[in-house]
Amino acid sequence: MKTRKCIVIAAAVFAGTAAFGEDAGAGMRVSDALRALWNDPFTKARIERGIEENRKGDFKISFDRPVENLKAELVRHEFVFGAPTMALAATQGKDGGMDMERVGKMKKLVWGDLFNGATVSTLWKFYEPEPGKYRFEKDAPFMRFRPAPAFVLDELKDLDLTYRAHCLAWFNRQWHFPDWVENTGNASAAAGDRYFRKLCERFGEEIPHWNVANEFCTFYDARTRKYMHKDPVYRAFAEARKRLPESAALAYNELTDAWEDGYRNREYSPLYMLVQNLLLRGCKVDEIGLQLHVFSERLWADILQGRAFGPEFMFAVLDLYSELGLPIQITEITIPGLPDGPGGEENQAYVAENFYRLWFSHPNVRSITWWHTVDGTSRAEGKWKSGILAFDFKKKKSYEVLRRLIKEEWTTKAAAQSPAQSLAFRGFYGKYKISYSSGGKPREIVLPLHENGAREYALKAEPADAKKLSTD
C-alpha cells in the first residue's frame, strides 16, 4: 500500500516568557472580539464548505439481489484524531509495573470512546538509559511517562489505531539525549546511529508514521551539536529511508514558532526553506508536523481576546505550507484550561472546538493530536490544566465537545427503504459497517470508503466467504 506524502504540521503554540511574559491573568475569558472572529459569516462558510468538500464523498453499495434492512454506518474516520501514549505510565502499579487499572480507564476513554490515533514515545534518552540496554519490550522496567513501545502496541492492538513514533532526531539535551552520551566522546554520533537502527528494525513494520526530525528550526543547542552528525536533519531522513519500510511516512516536525514565522516571512520562513531544501536535495520527506503549544499566560490571554491565532492567521499559514505539496499533520497541541475552575474549562472547550473545526476543514490537514490528554500526567503540562480529562478521568467540557464533533456531528449513518438492491449516500471518509439481511439471516461487512479509494462496491448478497468482504 502506498503512503501519501504529507506535511505533518504539529500545531504547537509554544511561546516563551521572554516573548510574551507570564503576568497576564486579566482577560482570561472568551471575549466578544474572539466570538466575532469565529462567527464571521465568511469564516463560518469557509469552514463548513471545507468540511463538506474535503472530508466527505459520494458512495454507492450495490448487491446482486434485493436485501432487507440495508444500512451503512461510519465506524472509523480516515482523518486521524490522536493522543500520545505517555500518560499510560503516569502511575506505577502495586507490583512495580504499569498501573493496569489506570491503563484500562485511559484506553477506554481516550481511544475506545474518542480518538483513532496514538503517538508512541521513542525518545533515545528514555529507551536506551544505559548503553546497549533498550526499554523496547513489554517487560522493560517501569519508567514514569515512558511506557515501553511494545507494551503500548500490544495493549491497544484491538482498537484499530493509526500509530506515530516520536521521534528519531532532536536537538534537545533534556528530553532526547541519554545522560551517558557525554562520556562517549567522538563515538556519540555512532551511538545515536545504533539506537536509530535498532528502533527502526524493531518497530518499522508496526508503526506507519515517524517523526524523523523534531524542532531543528527552533532549537539549536551548540553543546548538543557535537553529539550529532553534520547536516543532522538530512542525515536522519536518509537513514530513516534506509531503515524503515518504503510504506513508512517520514515527517519533519516543528514547534509553534513555525506559525508566526510562516505568517510573517512566508516562503522565507525557516520551516518552509528547510523542507524545500530537503526536497530539492532528493530527500524523501512525506509529512510536515506543526505543533501548537500554549505555554504562556500572555499568549493564552491574547488568544482569548482575539489577538492571536485567529482563523485568518491559521488559514494563511496552512495555505502557505501546503504550497510545498505535502499534506499537513497537526502533531501536538496544548490548549490550556486556565484560569483554574469552570471558567477555564469553558475557555478551553470554546477554543478547542473552533481550532478543530478549522483544521478538519482544511484540504491539506490529515490529523490532529491533542498532546497532554490527562491533567497531571506530564512534567511539561504543569499548571496549564491542558488535559481533556482530569487526573481522576473526570470528563472536562473539552472532552464532551470533541466527542460531540467526532462521534456525533462528523459521522454518517444511512439506510435504504426495504427491500433494496443498493444504497447511495454522501458521507465522511473512513471505514463503514454495512449491515443487511438476506436469506433470512442478518449479515455484516466492513468496507473502506476513503478519499482515494473505491466509491462504488458491487457485492454478492450471500457471498461464499463473507470474510473476504471485510477489508481495510
Side-chain angles (χ1 to χ4, degrees):
M1 174 179 133
K2 288 187 177 180
T3 301
R4 296 190 61 185
K5 287 190 174 183
C6 307
I7 294 182
V8 180
I9 296 183
V13 180
F14 175 86
T17 60
F20 295 98
E22 288 301 329
D23 186 13
M28 277 199 185
R29 62 181 181 277
V30 174
S31 65
D32 291 341
L34 181 62
R35 294 184 190 279
L37 287 176
W38 290 102
N39 289 330
D40 173 72
F42 178 82
T43 297
K44 292 182 69 174
R46 178 173 178 178
I47 291 173
E48 291 170 4
R49 183 174 62 252
I51 292 173
E52 183 65 29
E53 294 177 356
N54 302 321
R55 299 293 166 236
K56 299 172 75 174
D58 297 310
F59 305 105
K60 185 176 181 180
I61 311 299
S62 302
F63 290 91
D64 59 348
R65 68 184 70 175
V67 298
E68 300 287 333
N69 303 316
L70 176 56
K71 299 176 182 178
E73 180 181 359
L74 178 71
V75 293
R76 187 194 189 280
H77 271 281
E78 180 176 19
F79 192 96
V80 177
F81 299 98
T85 57
M86 287 81 82
L88 289 170
T91 57
Q92 193 170 10
K94 294 180 180 179
D95 62 354
M98 299 287 288
D99 184 341
M100 295 307 297
E101 181 179 356
R102 284 191 64 87
V103 168
K105 289 179 179 179
M106 184 175 175
K107 175 182 176 180
K108 180 181 186 304
L109 288 167
V110 175
W111 293 287
D113 294 346
L114 186 59
F115 294 144
N116 62 356
T119 299
V120 180
S121 175
T122 58
L123 300 178
W124 184 19
K125 181 184 185 78
F126 307 107
Y127 296 99
E128 192 183 1
E130 298 179 51
K133 295 184 179 180
Y134 304 102
R135 293 187 59 257
F136 291 164
E137 306 305 329
K138 291 187 289 183
D139 60 354
F142 178 84
M143 184 180 291
R144 196 174 186 214
F145 303 138
R146 302 298 165 186
F151 171 86
V152 171
L153 295 170
D154 184 68
E155 184 64 27
L156 304 181
K157 64 185 178 184
D158 59 322
L159 294 180
D160 191 18
L161 302 180
T162 297
Y163 294 102
R164 175 176 299 279
H166 179 77
C167 58
L168 290 174
W170 190 10
F171 254 131
N172 192 296
R173 288 170 58 86
Q174 180 184 6
W175 298 109
H176 187 66
F177 286 94
D179 296 336
W180 55 263
V181 80
E182 293 185 6
N183 302 319
T184 59
N186 295 332
S188 58
D193 291 344
R194 183 187 65 219
Y195 176 78
F196 199 115
R197 182 176 66 254
K198 291 284 188 180
L199 183 67
C200 292
E201 289 174 353
R202 175 61 181 85
F203 297 106
E205 297 292 341
E206 296 181 74
I207 301 177
H209 296 267
W210 291 75
N211 290 345
V212 173
N214 192 52
E215 300 174 359
F216 280 78
C217 293
T218 304
F219 291 120
Y220 189 93
D221 183 343
R223 294 181 303 166
T224 304
R225 175 69 184 83
K226 64 184 180 182
Y227 301 139
M228 308 185 80
H229 291 288
K230 183 179 179 180
D231 201 1
V233 177
Y234 179 86
R235 177 71 177 253
F237 275 94
E239 286 297 307
R241 179 44 54 215
K242 288 194 298 186
R243 306 297 179 190
L244 291 169
E246 181 63 29
S247 61
L250 310 184
Y252 178 79
N253 192 40
E254 190 52 67
L255 204 51
T256 309
D257 300 59
W259 291 84
E260 180 62 33
D261 289 341
Y263 188 80
R264 183 177 60 251
N265 299 319
R266 302 295 297 167
E267 63 270 21
Y268 295 111
S269 65
L271 174 59
Y272 193 101
M273 289 195 294
L274 173 60
V275 174
Q276 186 179 60
N277 175 275
L278 293 170
L279 294 173
L280 289 172
R281 294 164 68 190
C283 195
K284 186 180 183 296
V285 182
D286 301 306
E287 309 176 333
I288 295 179
L290 277 183
Q291 305 169 29
L292 197 162
H293 293 295
V294 183
F295 290 142
S296 161
E297 291 181 0
R298 175 65 180 275
L299 177 59
W300 182 229
D302 282 347
I303 290 173
L304 295 175
Q305 295 303 307
R307 296 190 293 261
F309 284 87
E312 184 274 334
F313 170 90
M314 286 202 285
F315 271 131
V317 175
L318 293 174
D319 290 344
L320 168 72
Y321 291 125
S322 296
E323 293 174 5
L324 290 165
L326 309 173
I328 294 167
Q329 316 288 353
I330 307 296
T331 54
E332 305 175 32
I333 66 170
T334 297
I335 301 177
L338 298 182
D340 196 8
E345 284 199 28
E346 292 284 345
N347 290 340
Q348 183 189 50
Y350 182 86
V351 172
E353 176 168 3
N354 285 292
F355 281 13
Y356 266 70
R357 285 186 184 279
L358 185 148
W359 293 329
F360 188 60
S361 76
H362 195 277
N364 226 31
V365 175
R366 300 298 176 191
S367 69
I368 308 167
T369 296
W370 190 291
W371 203 238
H372 303 300
T373 314
V374 183
D375 284 344
T377 59
S378 168
R379 295 184 181 93
E381 196 247 353
K383 68 180 180 181
W384 303 103
K385 300 290 184 180
S386 60
I388 57 175
L389 295 165
F391 186 77
D392 63 359
F393 295 111
K394 179 183 177 182
K395 298 175 184 176
K396 297 167 67 174
K397 186 161 186 179
S398 52
Y399 181 99
E400 301 290 3
V401 163
L402 295 182
R403 194 175 193 287
R404 170 172 54 80
L405 291 177
I406 298 167
K407 297 297 186 179
E408 297 177 21
E409 183 174 334
W410 297 335
T411 194
T412 301
K413 293 181 180 181
Q417 186 173 355
S418 295
Q421 199 162 341
S422 66
L423 173 61
F425 62 96
R426 183 169 180 80
F428 288 95
Y429 298 120
K431 189 177 293 186
Y432 279 77
K433 179 178 70 175
I434 310 298
S435 59
Y436 63 97
S437 296
S438 181
K441 296 181 180 180
R443 301 176 185 271
E444 187 177 289
I445 58 176
V446 176
L447 295 176
L449 301 180
H450 293 165
E451 182 177 5
N452 295 318
R455 299 298 180 96
E456 296 189 16
Y457 282 88
L459 307 173
K460 291 184 178 181
E462 300 179 24
D465 185 356
K467 291 183 179 179
K468 290 183 179 180
L469 290 176
S470 298
T471 176
D472 291 339

